[in-house]
Amino acid sequence: MRSRFRSDRRLTLRMGVTLFLLGLLYVAFIAALLVLLKSWVLVVVVAAGLLGAQYWFSDRIALYAMRGRVVERAEYPELHAVVDRLSAMADMPKPVVAVSAMDMPNAFATGRNAEHAVICVTDGLLRRLEPGELEGVLAHELSHVAHRDVAVITVASFLGVIAGLIVRFAFYSQLFGGGRRDQNTAVVFMAVMGVSAAVYAISFLLIRALSRYRELAADRAAAQLTGRPSELAAALTKVTGDIARIPTRDLRTAQAFNAFYFTPALGREPGIARLFSTHPTLEERLEQLGRMSAELGEGTGTGR
C-alpha cells in the first residue's frame, strides 16, 4: 500500500534495524529457554501462540484494554468526516473509527496493516480540541498506519511482553512452590528469570528508542499532509497540559500503552521516566513543528 504521506527513509531504516536486533534477541531467547526448560514443544507452542495473538488481534486487545468501541457515522458524523477527508488526502483505505470512554485526552492507532487499522480517540480529546487541532492529531495517527510503524511496534513489543510474563511466572512459581522443588529446579527457574529479565530490559530500550523517533516522523508527516503545523502544535500543547492535570492514579492503566499514544500519559513530575520515555519531549516536537511552520510561512507554530 502506497499513500501520499512522504516516505521516511530514516524511520524505515530504524524499523529495520530494530526488528533485526530484536529478531536476533528473540532467537537467543528461545534457544536459552529450550536449554533451560528442555521442552521445545512448550516453548515453541506458547511463543508462537502469543506472537500470533498479538499480531492478529492487537487492535481488539488495545480497544478492550482502553475501553474503546467502534462507532458508526451516525454516532460521530464530524469525527468520521475528518477521517474520510484525511484518508482521501492521503490516498489510503479508511481505518475503522473508534472512541474510548476516557476523560484523558489522547488518541492511538493500532492494527497489523492499512486494511486492518483502527484509529481511536478518547471522549476527553473530542471535548477539548478545535476541529483543526483534531485534524492534526488524526493525521498524525494516520501517518503511523501509512509508515507501518504501528505494526512494527506491535510485533516488537511482543518479545518484551513474553519475557515479562515469564519473569512473573517464574517469580511466583518459585515464591509459592519453592518448598516443593529440589535445588536443581530452583536453579533453572532462577536462570529463566535472569535471561527473561535481560531480554525484557534490552527490548524495552530498543522499542523506546524507535518509538521516540517515530513520533517525530508522524508529526512531520501530519504537518506536511495538512499544511498546518501550528494546529498540530496547538493540539500537542493543549493535550500535554491537560494530561499533566489528571490524577496519577487515573493514568496508571493508560501508561502501559504509552508507545501507541499521541502523547504519553505522564503525571506532573515524570522525573527519571523521561530517560525511558516512548515520546520525545514536548519542546522537541514544538521546535520541529515551528521550523516547518516558518518554512510554510504559517507563523510560529507554537499554538493558537
Side-chain angles (χ1 to χ4, degrees):
M1 187 277 301
R2 298 185 65 83
S3 73
R4 292 197 181 111
F5 279 108
R6 294 185 184 180
S7 62
D8 191 316
R9 293 182 179 178
R10 288 179 294 176
L11 175 61
T12 301
L13 178 62
R14 281 171 168 78
M15 289 193 297
V17 170
T18 299
L19 285 178
F20 176 74
L21 293 176
L22 285 173
L24 291 179
L25 189 63
Y26 182 68
V27 171
F29 182 47
I30 295 299
L33 291 182
L34 288 173
V35 171
L36 292 169
L37 299 180
K38 299 178 181 178
S39 175
W40 69 268
V41 174
L42 174 64
V43 173
V44 172
V45 169
V46 172
L50 288 176
L51 177 59
Q54 184 143 342
Y55 180 75
W56 289 99
F57 304 112
S58 59
D59 51 347
R60 301 178 193 179
I61 294 171
L63 285 179
Y64 176 79
M66 298 312 302
R67 293 181 287 164
R69 65 182 181 89
V70 175
V71 296
E72 301 300 330
R73 185 181 301 276
E75 297 178 85
Y76 290 84
E78 295 179 1
L79 176 59
H80 271 271
V82 176
V83 176
D84 282 336
R85 183 169 63 254
L86 289 172
S87 299
M89 289 169 61
D91 193 21
M92 291 176 58
K94 180 185 176 181
V96 172
V97 179
V99 173
S100 169
M102 296 181 66
D103 183 59
M104 180 186 70
N106 228 317
F108 64 91
T110 185
R112 61 186 184 273
N113 54 41
E115 287 73 28
H116 300 86
V118 178
I119 288 183
C120 181
V121 298
T122 65
D123 282 332
L125 187 81
L126 293 175
R127 286 197 301 271
R128 288 170 171 87
L129 297 190
E130 300 295 329
E133 297 167 351
L134 178 62
E135 181 180 67
V137 173
L138 292 174
H140 172 104
E141 296 304 328
L142 199 60
S143 75
H144 282 314
V145 177
H147 290 152
R148 300 183 178 88
D149 56 83
V150 168
V152 171
I153 284 291
T154 298
V155 173
S157 63
F158 161 75
L159 186 57
V161 169
I162 190 173
L165 288 174
I166 290 176
V167 169
R168 291 184 180 90
F169 172 76
F171 175 77
Y172 288 114
S173 295
Q174 184 68 18
L175 182 65
F176 295 111
R180 298 189 299 271
R181 295 192 180 93
D182 58 29
Q183 185 175 359
N184 290 337
T185 303
V187 170
V188 169
F189 267 85
M190 293 303 295
V192 169
M193 282 188 66
V195 171
S196 300
V199 168
Y200 179 82
I202 295 171
S203 61
F204 178 94
L205 295 175
L206 287 173
I207 291 169
R208 274 151 181 74
L210 173 62
S211 183
R212 287 192 293 272
Y213 185 85
R214 84 182 189 113
E215 293 302 327
L216 290 173
D219 286 347
R220 286 195 300 271
Q224 289 163 352
L225 182 71
T226 64
R228 293 190 295 275
S230 62
E231 296 284 7
L232 180 57
L236 270 169
T237 303
K238 185 180 293 185
V239 168
T240 302
D242 285 353
I243 287 179
R245 289 190 287 271
I246 293 176
T248 301
R249 65 178 181 274
D250 296 334
L251 299 178
R252 287 173 183 165
T253 300
Q255 286 173 353
F257 291 86
N258 272 347
F260 294 90
Y261 278 138
F262 169 64
T263 191
L266 297 175
R268 292 184 183 86
E269 298 177 354
I272 196 171
R274 283 292 186 193
L275 299 175
F276 306 104
S277 177
T278 53
H279 291 62
T281 64
L282 176 63
E283 291 72 21
E284 288 179 275
R285 300 176 77 173
L286 293 181
E287 181 182 359
Q288 174 180 253
L289 291 170
R291 290 195 303 268
M292 296 183 69
S293 185
E295 291 170 2
L296 293 172
E298 193 198 25
T300 60
T302 57
R304 295 181 65 83

